[in-house]
Amino acid sequence: MASGSKVIVVGAGPVGTIAAYALRRRGVPVVLVEALLAPEIDCRAASCHPPTIAMLAELDLLEAGLEQGLVSPVFHYMDRPTGQRIARFDIREMQTPPEHPYVLQWEQYKISATILERLKADAGCEVMMGARLTEIVQGADKVRAVLETTDGVVEIEGDYLIGCDGGRSTVRRLAEIEFEGFTWPERFLKVDTHFDFMSLRPDLSNRNYFSDPDEWMNLFKARGPDGGGLWRAVSPTLPEQTDEELLSPDAIEARLQKFCPKDGPYEIATVALYRVHQRVAATFNKGRVLLAGDAAHVNNPVGGMGMNGGIHDAVNLAAKLDEILNGGADAQPLLDRYSRQRRKAQTDFVQAQSIQNKKTLGEKDPEARAKGLETIRQAGLDPDLHDAFIGRACLIDSVKVADAVL
């Protein structure tokens, strides 16, 4: 490695920590910068699809994921108005199943905390928590980051800087990269509860999609902070509804009871209301500044694809930076290819599929709704259609196609 070569990674969420860890596994010195003092505990992202699991295994992270997470090979599509299960998909039953035939429900904050512990023990990685990026200065051979810390203003220099700092990315803004796309008019409501829905409905799995023309819902199970199980229900709201209306205990109770009626009230752990976007950065590389994860792309949560795409970015980019910094490869062609590959994965797969997922679950036209549900029903019954459906839904096709882009 060239003397003094290092990479600055901004953002210590799952994508940033995996980017830093993947670089360290390849011997690249890293400075990991995070504005928060500790990883934020948020169960919003928790699904790791089979291609992501393969990457976690290569990084020696899968054992920790299996200890902390929940193996979920099956997912269901449900029709809320009739109460019927539309289709069952089992990754293990694919005619040619992937090496890891399941989705691993491993919450993003657990991923970050697990990797941070390893990085803090690694002399080749400097971890700077509570450091907020305020300026980026690009030079011909280096990039400099100006940070506000509890000890004052600090400047650090590296060969490249990777922005993994979320949908409101400071890195993307400072690099003046457009974030193309749109924002959904409705907000999404996330409700977490420890109640075990399978005790109420044995036809459920750890991952469920409820179709409803007025108010669809995703219902997923994760291990939760204490390992005892935490269910996450995500559903849309109406644009005209106020925070007070949506967050009132009665409204939240009525929402859960609509999908899974039961005697007595639900015990609610946490509630969050947030806006949802479908956006992709115009480019993932600009000079010595690179983007990955939500800093580069955001999508609605139907299908659990967002964090996966970001992890795929991080692993892809780490390999290319290794070729550049350790192998002496020409940087610009490789980094341009990174942008082409990962933008295609987003535009052709994650964006397209997540938008279609949301449309199918919330379709209001009776004829179109019946047709969409019948398509899913047939996919659950026919082996070829079953496998093709999983290939798209679990990002198996996305990785194959994107990696082939030259």
Side-chain angles (χ1 to χ4, degrees):
M1 181 178 295
S3 176
S5 294
K6 75 169 67 167
V7 175
I8 302 167
V9 178
V10 180
V15 176
T17 53
I18 284 181
Y21 191 60
L23 286 166
R24 288 301 304 131
R25 298 268 293 186
R26 295 173 178 273
V28 177
V30 172
V31 180
L32 178 61
V33 176
E34 170 56 53
L36 299 177
L37 293 173
E40 184 178 11
I41 296 179
D42 186 348
C43 297
R44 190 180 304 177
S47 300
C48 296
H49 291 296
T52 309
I53 297 170
M55 296 175 191
L56 296 174
E58 290 176 5
L59 292 171
D60 193 29
L61 291 167
L62 183 53
E63 184 177 350
L66 292 172
E67 290 175 354
Q68 300 173 22
L70 193 64
V71 172
S72 305
V74 176
F75 58 101
H76 291 160
Y77 277 78
M78 317 291 290
D79 182 32
R80 204 288 306 171
T82 65
Q84 295 179 345
R85 188 170 71 193
I86 303 165
R88 176 182 184 274
F89 296 93
D90 190 332
I91 305 171
R92 298 167 301 185
E93 294 177 0
M94 295 178 74
Q95 296 164 90
T96 307
E99 181 182 0
H100 304 280
Y102 54 91
V103 171
L104 177 63
Q105 299 295 106
W106 191 18
E107 300 96 316
Q108 61 178 13
Y109 68 91
K110 293 181 182 178
I111 297 174
S112 300
T114 297
I115 301 173
L116 269 175
E117 185 177 352
R118 300 187 187 189
L119 291 174
K120 287 177 179 178
D122 182 350
C125 179
E126 180 182 0
V127 178
M128 300 179 66
M129 305 297 289
R132 187 171 65 87
L133 178 72
T134 60
E135 186 179 357
I136 297 172
V137 181
Q138 293 209 56
D141 301 316
K142 298 287 182 180
V143 58
R144 187 168 77 251
V146 181
L147 310 170
E148 285 186 359
T149 73
T150 53
D151 297 323
V153 176
V154 174
E155 295 188 9
I156 57 176
E157 192 174 73
D159 292 83
Y160 294 95
L161 183 148
I162 308 174
C164 305
D165 52 337
R168 299 177 181 176
S169 172
T170 299
V171 173
R172 188 186 63 242
R173 176 177 57 80
L174 292 175
E176 298 182 336
I177 298 174
E178 291 296 319
F179 208 26
E180 302 166 347
F182 65 92
T183 299
W184 293 100
E186 68 269 39
R187 292 177 293 171
F188 284 27
L189 182 69
K190 177 178 73 74
V191 180
D192 295 328
T193 174
H194 293 286
F195 178 78
D196 184 5
F197 287 91
M198 289 186 195
S199 68
L200 193 67
R201 294 192 59 170
D203 59 342
L204 296 180
S205 64
N206 290 338
R207 307 179 76 244
N208 308 276
Y209 301 94
F210 284 87
S211 171
D212 185 280
D214 299 318
E215 193 178 84
W216 52 264
M217 180 180 282
N218 291 353
L219 184 63
F220 288 8
K221 183 182 180 181
R223 288 282 297 278
D226 62 2
L230 186 69
W231 287 81
R232 181 189 64 191
V234 177
S235 54
T237 66
L238 297 175
E240 63 270 20
Q241 289 178 293
T242 66
D243 290 11
E244 290 74 21
E245 288 179 279
L246 295 170
L247 298 176
S248 74
D250 288 346
I252 292 169
E253 180 68 25
R255 187 174 292 254
L256 293 179
Q257 291 284 355
K258 175 181 177 179
F259 288 86
C260 295
K262 79 177 189 72
D263 294 332
Y266 283 90
E267 182 180 343
I268 306 303
T270 58
V271 178
L273 186 64
Y274 57 95
R275 294 204 172 277
V276 176
H277 313 271
Q278 300 280 164
R279 297 184 183 275
V280 180
T283 181
F284 290 11
N285 66 312
K286 189 172 183 180
R288 293 181 173 274
V289 173
L290 305 150
L291 300 178
D294 284 0
H297 46 78
V298 290
N299 56 272
N300 78 70
V302 186
M305 298 180 173
M307 180 175 69
N308 289 266
I311 292 173
H312 301 173
D313 295 343
V315 172
N316 182 308
L317 183 54
K320 288 178 171 57
L321 288 174
D322 177 34
E323 290 185 59
I324 294 165
L325 296 174
N326 287 335
D330 190 2
Q332 201 59 53
L334 275 177
L335 298 180
D336 286 346
R337 187 183 180 205
Y338 162 71
S339 187
R340 288 194 300 273
Q341 288 179 327
R342 297 310 308 154
R343 285 194 88 254
K344 184 174 183 64
Q346 280 298 312
T347 56
D348 291 8
F349 290 93
V350 174
Q351 296 292 319
Q353 188 66 41
S354 61
I355 291 172
Q356 183 58 52
N357 287 346
K358 180 179 179 297
K359 177 177 172 57
T360 299
L361 291 184
E363 180 61 64
K364 295 183 180 298
D365 179 78
E367 185 176 344
R369 183 171 187 273
K371 183 178 179 180
L373 296 185
E374 182 59 26
T375 297
I376 294 175
R377 190 190 312 277
Q378 291 301 319
L381 298 173
D382 180 274
D384 291 337
L385 296 176
H386 171 272
D387 292 3
F389 193 97
I390 293 175
R392 293 190 304 273
C394 293
L395 297 180
I396 296 169
D397 296 346
S398 167
V399 172
K400 289 179 181 177
V401 172
D403 285 354
V405 172
L406 298 177

